[in-house]
Amino acid sequence: MLQNAMRNLIDNALKYAPDETVVTVKVSGAPRLAVSVMDEGPGFAADEVQTLSGRFVRGKGIDNKVGSGLGLTIAQEVAVAHGGEMNLSNTPEGGACVTFYF
């Protein structure tokens, strides 16, 4: 399940960020285990961050990208099933960042 969740996050980063973008996966262990997937795209709209992990919810400005609006929902459910949580934020440079905390 964790593998599928991470695949969803990386796929989203590659799909919604500009072409030739860098996608970074960062793992840290202090103060608790965190796994982050970050891109160099426009980031999450501030008014959507709280709702994007809902079923069938897709963000604004996705152009003609194919998707069902379930990737973040699945990722969040996997994090919770493993006793963790998922956080959506933007990097200081403006790209999207999704972090699992365990």
Side-chain angles (χ1 to χ4, degrees), residues 1-9 71 74-83 100 102:
M1 289 188 339
L2 285 170
Q3 180 181 8
N4 288 337
M6 290 304 299
R7 184 178 308 129
N8 283 345
L9 299 182
I74 292 167
Q76 179 165 318
E77 290 177 0
V78 169
V80 170
H82 286 82
F100 282 161
F102 298 100

Side-chain angles (χ1 to χ4, degrees), residues 29-60:
R32 61 183 177 160
L33 178 63
V35 181
S36 299
V37 177
M38 299 166 277
D39 66 39
E40 296 177 337
F44 298 114
D47 62 336
E48 296 180 331
V49 171
Q50 298 300 318
T51 61
L52 284 173
S53 60
R55 289 183 184 271
F56 307 111
V57 176
R58 299 189 71 204
K60 299 175 197 164

Side-chain angles (χ1 to χ4, degrees), residues 83-97:
E85 62 187 79
M86 184 180 81
N87 181 55
L88 304 181
S89 63
N90 290 318
T91 66
E93 298 80 24
C97 178

